[in-house]
Amino acid sequence: MGSKQAIAPLPDESTDRTGPSKEEVFEVLSNRRRRQTLHYLLQKEDETATKREISRQLAAWENDEPVDMVSSSERKRVYIALHQTHLPKLDDAGLIDYEPAQGIITLTDACHELDVYFDVVPENELSWSQFYVGLGGVFLAITALAGLGIVPFAGVPAIALAGLFAVVMTLTGALHYLRDQKNRLGGAGAPPGPGEK
């Protein structure tokens, strides 16, 4: 009987990863105040802020008013929720360094990896993946009609069709890029997307 060859175990994600798991990321991003906190910190040049600064800005976004118009009760509601729930959760996920005694919050390197998870699709809209599948289907149908010699595609040269498809894909890609920039955490303006407080 031959000797048995040892099979190497599959790599364990939990030991290889340096940042939060997918589940942790989705849990963190499911909450609007946590997304807003990350968004605000990403907008700051040094990616550091105090609880007071963050709570004032979040209260302003939530009440759709300028920061200097936020009342102390509006800020306090946000401040308490940040202190008790959201900042500790972000800290546990490894996305921020939070020093409760000093009230200082700083982003970690793991936060910069979140963009891959952040594709906000408003209700009743197609995702970009659905849009690209549909666009590919249209291109495939036009190509088939041209190949079968069906009017009006019969007389169109293949190079013209290829050029048209290239222009449409380039414009679509540019629109997708601009939309992603608008919806990126840390982009200009208020944070994107809905979610619970």
Side-chain angles (χ1 to χ4, degrees):
M1 206 169 204
S3 63
K4 291 185 181 179
Q5 190 174 9
I7 299 174
L10 293 172
D12 182 6
E13 279 187 32
S14 62
T15 58
D16 289 346
R17 70 180 171 89
T18 56
S21 68
K22 273 192 232 181
E23 290 78 17
E24 290 170 319
V25 168
F26 289 133
E27 170 65 23
V28 166
L29 293 179
S30 71
N31 182 274
R32 182 171 29 131
R33 282 185 175 158
R34 290 193 289 270
R35 281 196 314 271
Q36 289 176 337
T37 298
L38 296 176
H39 183 77
Y40 179 70
L41 289 167
L42 284 163
Q43 287 179 329
K44 295 184 65 66
E45 194 171 311
D46 61 357
E47 299 183 340
T48 299
T50 65
K51 266 190 293 195
R52 182 176 179 81
E53 290 175 294
I54 294 171
S55 61
R56 284 178 62 92
Q57 182 59 70
L58 269 59
W61 282 331
E62 287 179 12
N63 294 290
D64 198 23
E65 59 190 21
V67 174
D68 57 349
M69 297 298 292
V70 171
S71 71
S72 62
S73 63
E74 290 168 337
R75 186 192 61 78
K76 188 174 182 179
R77 274 194 306 272
V78 175
Y79 184 94
I80 291 169
L82 287 174
H83 177 74
Q84 293 178 345
T85 306
H86 303 303
L87 295 176
K89 191 160 218 139
L90 288 167
D91 187 51
D92 289 345
L95 299 175
I96 63 168
D97 284 325
Y98 173 44
E99 300 173 27
Q102 292 82 22
I104 303 294
I105 299 98
T106 306
L107 286 180
T108 65
D109 290 339
C111 186
H112 296 283
E113 305 300 320
L114 291 183
D115 285 345
V116 72
Y117 298 104
F118 204 70
D119 184 17
V120 177
V121 180
E123 193 173 353
N124 301 322
E125 284 191 24
L126 291 175
S127 68
W128 281 103
S129 58
Q130 292 169 317
F131 178 80
Y132 284 120
V133 167
L135 190 60
V138 169
F139 289 168
L140 187 60
I142 291 172
T143 303
L145 292 172
L148 294 171
I150 296 175
V151 176
F153 303 105
V156 179
I159 191 71
L161 282 177
L164 173 67
F165 295 165
V167 167
V168 170
M169 286 304 296
T170 302
L171 291 174
T172 302
L175 287 172
H176 189 169
Y177 174 79
L178 292 172
R179 181 192 165 275
D180 281 354
Q181 292 304 308
K182 180 182 170 193
N183 285 336
R184 175 164 280 138
L185 286 175
E196 62 178 273
K197 287 184 183 177

